Amino acid sequence: MTSIVRPIEWAGDHLRLLDQRVLPHEERYLQCRSAEDVARAIHDMVVRGAPAIGIAAAYGLVLAAQRDPASYDAADAVLAQSRPTAINLRWALERMRRGWKARPEAATLLAEARRIHEEDLAQNLRMGELGAALLPAGARVITHCNTGALATGGHGTALGVIRSAYAQGKLAQVYATETRPWLQGARLTAWELKQEGIPSALLADGAAAYLMSREKIDWAIVGADRIAANGDTANKIGTYSLAVSAARHGVKFMVVAPSGTFDLDCPEGKAIPIEERSARELTEFRGQAVAPAGMSAINPVFDVTPAELIAAIVCEKGVIERPTRRAVATILNRP
Ligand code: MRU
């Protein structure tokens, strides 16, 4: 089963992005006509989710090459700076640069961007099968943030496993955390789950430990923005707390991410750059103050889950159980 959501669409002379900031109440599209437009859309969360960011950036380079081939390097630089944690962004830009070096033509770049887009969907379908195979019949799972069709080239990573398990009839219940402060769980994951009639309920991020203490949950299933060489995994803020709670309650913890999410140049999680966004994302909600004027706030938007808390990393190349440095290198064929 693949999802019909099309968050990123190439439209010949521009990129059409579904504006994820206004979902689920409004389906608004944004037209990007330059790499700078795409970089702004990535920074401002119009398009988000590690694989989707990489795909959008690849099309951003096509726009630069169409407009002015001499602007390629500047476009690459502005896209690279749009968000720091998702390594899929750098991965996609490097892959596009190899294509550009071999043949500096917009049409060749477009073909490469389309391939990145299509391969992501194929990888997600494969990970869906592999991840679903780890779940018991009648599985009850919890997920965090949005890792579905909106965050990827289609189907999703963690949500792709959930979709595949549902299609196989082995999923009884999904719990989705709301995911403060951008509410990717409440707005986006809930929207995707409802569209497909997958049995699901929303809960506050802070309610996950309570839920695990009261109900049998089989797996926590999350995506990743960057996986270090030892398996430490950066993902949406709150993932680490979910993993700690899962360990406390005997809930298995699964990370689902394509091979483009691994960064073997990062030896461990501490080396992963963590994006900090404006304090206003916490002190305000949709422009309305929710904290006293002048209150300071810290807003790291990702955290790192240590490999020792992860039961399985599912990537399109296979499953790494109890991740170690050696197992990561072996599965990626980079010993
Ligand atoms: O800030 P976001 O919404 O881009 O964060 C998204 C996540 O943390 C996802 O879990 C991750 O990118 C994997 S998406 C398949």
Side-chain angles (χ1 to χ4, degrees):
M1 177 173 47
T2 55
S3 151
I4 46 150
V5 186
R6 301 250 178 280
I8 306 171
E9 264 187 317
W10 178 251
D13 62 348
H14 67 273
L15 186 64
R16 193 166 175 265
L17 296 176
L18 176 59
D19 189 342
Q20 299 192 27
R21 298 168 304 181
V22 296
L23 283 173
H25 300 301
E26 210 184 317
E27 275 185 45
R28 185 194 297 167
Y29 289 85
L30 194 87
Q31 293 187 0
C32 295
R33 298 193 171 271
S34 66
E36 291 73 18
D37 286 351
V38 176
R40 203 171 311 113
I42 293 172
H43 178 267
D44 293 349
M45 310 276 289
V46 171
V47 57
R48 30 69 47 202
I53 290 171
I55 294 164
Y59 286 118
L61 287 175
V62 180
L63 290 171
Q66 279 183 339
R67 266 169 50 144
D68 175 12
S71 71
Y72 188 95
D73 287 347
D76 183 289
V78 79
L79 286 162
Q81 283 162 15
S82 56
R83 285 192 81 188
T85 303
I87 191 66
N88 307 61
L89 173 63
R90 196 177 82 198
W91 174 88
L93 293 177
E94 283 172 2
R95 184 164 154 179
M96 293 294 282
R97 182 169 285 279
R98 286 196 292 276
W100 180 245
K101 274 194 178 151
R103 245 188 133 138
E105 293 164 3
T108 316
L109 274 190
L110 176 58
E112 189 66 352
R114 283 196 200 280
R115 264 195 297 276
I116 289 174
H117 199 163
E118 282 158 17
E119 282 172 18
D120 189 65
L121 171 59
Q123 288 169 348
N124 290 340
L125 291 169
R126 175 76 188 130
M127 293 190 295
E129 294 297 311
L130 292 170
L134 299 176
L135 305 186
R140 305 173 68 79
V141 305
I142 184 166
T143 189
H144 187 53
C145 197
N146 172 266
T147 59
L150 290 167
T152 63
H155 196 65
T157 57
L159 205 55
V161 168
I162 289 168
R163 278 200 162 96
S164 297
Y166 179 67
Q168 292 171 13
K170 49 189 317 197
L171 194 80
Q173 178 70 26
V174 183
Y175 291 101
T177 53
E178 60 174 353
T179 317
R180 291 277 302 141
W182 273 85
L183 302 178
Q184 289 95 330
R187 296 186 303 104
L188 309 177
T189 301
W191 187 66
E192 291 197 45
L193 289 166
K194 288 267 306 169
Q195 276 190 338
E196 291 178 30
I198 300 177
S200 49
L202 195 61
L203 74 166
D205 299 359
Y210 171 77
L211 178 79
M212 291 175 187
S213 75
R214 293 296 173 108
E215 275 194 33
K216 170 92 181 94
I217 307 289
D218 299 292
W219 283 88
I221 311 178
V222 301
D225 279 75
R226 194 182 298 217
I227 302 175
N230 68 345
D232 290 353
T233 294
N235 190 50
K236 178 53 52 195
I237 192 76
T239 303
Y240 177 34
S241 333
L242 191 66
V244 170
S245 300
R248 171 77 173 84
H249 297 99
V251 174
K252 288 189 248 174
F253 198 84
M254 184 193 303
V255 171
V256 188
S259 47
T261 305
F262 287 79
D263 182 3
L264 299 192
D265 293 338
C266 274
E268 56 181 13
K270 279 199 190 100
I272 299 177
I274 297 296
E275 178 180 8
E276 292 242 7
R277 293 181 67 91
S278 164
R280 288 173 55 187
E281 293 181 355
L282 294 177
T283 58
E284 294 176 7
F285 184 71
R286 304 222 152 130
Q288 292 280 315
V290 292
M295 184 63 192
S296 71
I298 54 160
N299 186 21
V301 300
F302 297 99
D303 57 27
V304 176
T305 298
E308 69 197 70
L309 295 181
I310 300 171
I313 300 180
V314 174
C315 103
E316 81 283 1
K317 294 179 185 292
V319 176
I320 309 170
E321 294 200 33
R322 295 273 152 223
T324 59
R325 200 174 292 279
R326 180 192 286 264
V328 168
T330 304
I331 208 141
L332 297 177
N333 206 9
R334 303 254 306 269

